[in-house]
Amino acid sequence: MFGTRSSRFRFRSLRCPFVVAGREPITQRDVAASLGVSISAVSLALSGRAGVSDRLRAQILARAAELGYRPNVSAVALRTKRTKVLGLLIRNLRNPHFLDVIDGFDETCARAGYDVMVGSSRYDPDRERELLDAFQDRAVDGLAVAPIGASPQVREWHSATKRPVVLLNAAERGERAPMSVRADHRAAVDFAVRHLIGLGHRRLAMLVAPPEKSPDPERWQRFRELSAELDFRADAVVTELSAAAARSAAVAELRRPPGERPTAFIANSDYLAHAVYLAAADLDLTVPHDISVIGHDDLPTSASLAPPLTTVAVNRREIGERAATLLIDALGGRTPEATEVIVPVLLRVRSSTAPPAV
């Protein structure tokens, strides 16, 4: 787990003098003494509360910056019952999708004066529990989390801490569940399937996580619904959601005889779609002549693959931004317009899909 400091704090620290080793930190008492004003006036000015004139407030803030005063974070947290830190727990830092989510989350928090603490569960339930405990020990004010599977541990954390929680790219919520932000999973599957059916594909495969780890089971549910509606064969290729595991699972599926193997793969990320490219190359098959591939995310690198990847595009930064906004509004006592945010998607057709060869 690592912490990110907001840009506001990062840049301010560059302008402030560093505390010399062995010297006591500057206190509000020091600021007050240097100006000949009361400690209470300094406290009011630094906290932004009423009770001092604008002129005096400006003098106090300028002198505090000049002396290198920094608030005692522990003391502030003790007094306000807030740490001004929000947690972000994601599933897989190797998937570039989450880097954009983190960026949007961190920037939104920075504008509101919050710092961010980030952790990655790496699809390990024990690791997820350890990180949830760590976030609780560090008293984060709220938590956004991309959970593993049905997220029972996250829901327990939410119930125990009474702190606001936002689920990211998780399954559809039940009643009295935490807030959520996710891509429109049903529309994503619809776009991918109907595009492939329009090209003539009748044997389609979807990469899916084991049921206990699946972050978005409604994708597979919608895939099966469309199979019945549109009369195509729907295969589930169950795999751990790592590039190596997905590559091995796709190789095993593509080893089937040409008349039996799928003619198209749908992945829940561009990260795993690339693994299908590698699996096809392992067997001297070509994309899209032998196998069509559709990803999800529209990463910046996806248009540069050979061939460029057809994918379902989603605004990944927006997922992070909307999650941070929900937490910040909840902490500020503001009622959000919606507690379940669905981010729209669209299909970007490139060269990794074509009519089936057989």
Side-chain angles (χ1 to χ4, degrees):
M1 182 164 56
F2 58 91
T4 66
R5 300 291 293 181
S6 72
S7 58
R8 181 170 69 88
F9 285 98
R10 208 164 32 230
F11 293 144
R12 178 179 295 175
S13 67
L14 291 176
R15 294 195 297 267
C16 291
F18 291 100
V19 175
V20 177
R23 179 181 297 177
E24 290 294 324
I26 300 298
T27 67
Q28 291 187 12
R29 183 181 299 277
D30 297 324
V31 177
S34 72
L35 289 171
V37 299
S38 68
I39 296 175
S40 61
V42 171
S43 177
L44 291 171
L46 293 176
S47 63
R49 291 177 289 167
V52 295
S53 68
D54 291 343
R55 181 171 178 273
L56 180 56
R57 186 188 306 278
Q59 288 178 334
I60 291 172
L61 293 176
R63 182 56 58 86
E66 179 185 336
L67 295 176
Y69 168 79
R70 303 210 38 170
N72 185 318
V73 175
S74 298
V76 172
L78 186 62
R79 184 179 70 252
T80 64
K81 310 299 183 185
R82 297 282 178 85
T83 60
K84 297 293 285 184
V85 176
L86 295 178
L88 178 56
L89 174 54
I90 52 97
R91 290 186 286 262
N92 183 11
L93 269 177
R94 294 182 179 179
N95 185 345
H97 166 94
F98 285 111
L99 299 181
D100 291 320
V101 173
I102 292 170
D103 197 36
F105 188 88
D106 182 57
E107 186 172 314
T108 304
C109 289
R111 288 197 299 267
Y114 283 86
D115 291 339
V116 175
M117 184 174 292
V118 179
S120 174
S121 67
R122 301 191 289 272
Y123 284 101
D124 181 343
D126 292 335
R127 172 68 175 165
E128 182 180 69
R129 166 53 65 190
E130 291 173 0
L131 289 170
L132 287 171
D133 289 344
F135 283 125
Q136 184 171 355
D137 292 343
R138 286 161 175 77
V140 295
D141 292 336
L143 178 65
V145 53
I148 300 171
S151 65
Q153 298 187 129
V154 176
R155 294 169 193 269
E156 290 170 10
W157 191 94
H158 176 54
S159 178
T161 65
K162 309 302 182 187
R163 295 167 191 161
V165 171
V166 176
L167 301 178
L168 302 178
N169 287 338
E172 294 179 358
R173 303 181 309 149
E175 294 184 3
R176 304 178 69 180
M179 300 177 285
S180 71
V181 181
R182 60 185 176 84
D184 191 337
H185 297 315
R186 289 177 63 86
V189 175
D190 277 30
F191 284 144
V193 166
R194 294 185 188 280
H195 173 64
L196 291 169
I197 293 298
L199 291 173
H201 292 272
R202 311 305 301 177
R203 301 192 303 274
L204 277 58
M206 176 177 280
L207 293 173
V208 298
E212 69 277 7
K213 293 186 178 181
S214 178
D216 44 19
E218 65 266 33
R219 288 173 56 86
W220 170 243
Q221 293 166 7
R222 182 58 180 158
F223 192 53
R224 293 186 62 186
E225 291 170 3
L226 289 172
S227 173
E229 176 186 334
L230 301 176
D231 190 28
F232 66 87
R233 194 184 83 194
D235 294 341
V237 181
V238 180
T239 173
E240 297 290 338
L241 298 183
S242 69
R247 181 177 183 175
S248 296
V251 164
E253 194 70 13
L254 291 172
R255 286 190 188 280
R256 297 167 65 180
E260 297 180 13
R261 70 186 180 217
T263 59
F265 270 77
I266 299 173
N268 73 349
S269 68
D270 291 0
Y271 173 70
L272 294 185
H274 183 230
V276 179
Y277 274 50
L278 297 176
D282 290 341
L283 300 175
D284 291 326
L285 301 175
T286 60
V287 177
H289 177 74
D290 298 302
I291 182 75
S292 287
V293 182
I294 296 182
H296 187 291
D297 288 336
D298 194 24
L299 298 176
T301 55
S302 297
S304 301
L305 295 177
L309 178 66
T310 295
T311 183
V312 177
V314 62
N315 189 327
R316 302 172 300 281
R317 280 183 56 88
E318 182 181 355
I319 292 173
E321 292 167 351
R322 299 292 291 272
T325 299
L326 284 175
L327 290 175
I328 293 165
D329 284 349
L331 291 165
R334 296 180 291 275
T335 302
E337 294 182 5
T339 58
E340 183 173 15
V341 177
I342 299 178
V343 179
V345 298
L346 58 90
L347 184 69
R348 295 201 188 281
V349 179
R350 298 192 180 106
S351 305
S352 67
T353 50
V358 291

